[in-house]
């Protein structure tokens, strides 16, 4: 649901293909070793083959390392964000602040199972969702007030630690409307499993209407 996550998926497939090629080659060599009858009493060393099996793995590792480093730097880039969202981890809920707007902040608690609507998502739905515009760069600042948490939304390729006394930042772009779910991914105490994250991605004109309604209600 974001360009970064697409790139991460491509990198996963690329690496998996390399692993499959290595596995098939090694399996074939082992199979041939078991069943052939070749012997050579006088073979003490083979300079050529030793050079090949030293250089070839190094070349293969480069094919994995360069795309990996490219992605690593891409994930750290902050490209002129339109909106800054601040997420603060507590035991055991999240609170959010829209830094571009005055006094626009709220707490986000998981909805208990007995209060959930028929079409709700058990252990994933919250009372106050994060509303964000699609196709815009979003910067998120993450911190915590008590213990280490981790703000994670897998479908957007975002995972960042919330550390007390420290402000971490990352960015993402949502390329489609919808609901995106995440959870705290750092064990943070008894109710660690019960502090979900829900992002609702909407078109820009609806986001402006939502912001106006929130500002008017203050």
């Amino acid at each position: 649901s974001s360009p970064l996550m697409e790139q991460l998926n491509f990198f996963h497939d690329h690496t998996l293909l390399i692993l499959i090629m290595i596995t098939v080659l090694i399996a074939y060599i082992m199979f041939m070793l078991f069943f052939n009858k070749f012997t050579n009493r006088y073979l003490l060393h083979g300079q050529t083959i030793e050079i090949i099996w030293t250089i070839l793995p190094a070349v293969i590792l480069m094919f994995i390392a360069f795309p990996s480093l490219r992605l690593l730097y891409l994930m750290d880039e902050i490209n002129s964000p339109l909106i800054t969202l601040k997420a603060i981890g507590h035991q055991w809920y999240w609170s959010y602040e829209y830094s571009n707007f005055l006094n626009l902040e709220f707490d986000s608690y998981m909805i208990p199972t007995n209060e959930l609507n028929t079409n709700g998502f058990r252990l994933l739905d919250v009372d106050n969702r994060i509303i964000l515009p699609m196709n815009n760069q979003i910067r998120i600042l993450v911190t915590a007030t008590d213990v280490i948490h981790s703000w994670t939304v897998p479908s957007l390729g975002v995972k960042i630690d919330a550390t007390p006394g420290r402000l971490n930042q990352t960015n993402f772009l949502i390329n489609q409307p919808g609901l995106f779910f995440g959870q705290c991914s750092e064990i943070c105490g008894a109710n660690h499993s019960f502090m979900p994250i829900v992002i609702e991605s909407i078109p820009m004109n609806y986001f402006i209407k939502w912001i106006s309604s929130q500002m008017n209600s203050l």
Side-chain angles (χ1 to χ4, degrees):
S1 301
S2 74
L4 267 179
M5 194 60 201
E6 285 176 11
Q7 291 295 316
L8 285 166
N9 274 332
F10 289 144
F11 176 65
H12 170 268
D13 295 345
H14 167 78
T15 311
L16 198 63
L17 193 63
I18 292 172
L19 288 175
I20 289 167
M21 286 164 58
I22 293 168
T23 307
V24 168
L25 178 65
I26 299 301
Y28 172 74
I29 291 169
M30 289 180 71
F31 181 82
M32 294 306 291
L33 280 171
F34 279 125
F35 294 102
N36 71 40
K37 300 285 194 294
F38 300 145
T39 55
N40 189 332
R41 291 171 59 198
Y42 304 105
L43 183 64
L44 300 175
H45 60 82
Q47 292 283 342
T48 311
I49 191 69
E50 285 179 11
I51 289 168
I52 290 169
W53 73 40
T54 303
I55 290 174
L56 194 64
V59 171
I60 291 169
L61 282 174
M62 285 167 67
F63 273 98
I64 296 173
F66 286 132
S68 172
L69 286 169
R70 173 181 158 273
L71 258 178
L72 206 60
Y73 281 100
L74 270 176
M75 290 172 78
D76 265 351
E77 281 292 321
I78 304 292
N79 303 312
S80 306
L82 179 80
I83 287 173
T84 298
L85 176 72
K86 186 176 181 185
I88 304 163
H90 308 267
Q91 286 182 310
W92 289 273
Y93 66 96
W94 295 97
S95 56
Y96 298 101
E97 300 172 7
Y98 285 76
S99 305
N100 306 81
F101 308 97
L102 287 174
N103 300 322
L104 184 48
E105 54 190 62
F106 53 83
D107 296 333
S108 181
Y109 289 86
M110 186 192 79
I111 302 173
T113 307
N114 58 341
E115 296 174 19
L116 206 59
N117 293 330
T118 313
N119 58 351
F121 294 92
R122 180 178 167 272
L123 302 183
L124 282 178
D125 241 331
V126 294
D127 54 358
N128 291 311
R129 294 171 175 169
I130 309 162
I131 310 293
L132 290 172
M134 58 183 276
N135 292 326
N136 286 285
Q137 282 289 340
I138 312 293
R139 171 172 56 188
I140 179 156
L141 306 173
V142 183
T143 187
T145 55
D146 35 46
V147 297
I148 297 174
H149 301 275
S150 184
W151 198 87
T152 306
V153 183
S155 55
L156 300 178
V158 179
K159 185 176 193 292
I160 184 164
D161 281 352
T163 312
R166 183 185 176 93
L167 204 60
N168 290 330
Q169 77 166 355
T170 189
N171 77 306
F172 55 89
L173 182 147
I174 308 171
N175 58 17
Q176 59 186 7
L179 292 177
F180 305 99
F181 296 92
Q183 289 177 301
C184 175
S185 296
E186 188 72 46
I187 295 174
C188 57
N191 291 334
H192 157 68
S193 307
F194 309 115
M195 47 184 299
I197 299 152
V198 182
I199 297 176
E200 188 172 341
S201 168
I202 57 177
M204 191 58 169
N205 54 337
Y206 289 106
F207 178 74
I208 293 168
K209 287 177 185 175
W210 178 79
I211 285 289
S212 304
S213 66
Q214 293 296 309
M215 299 303 287
N216 291 336
S217 64
L218 291 175

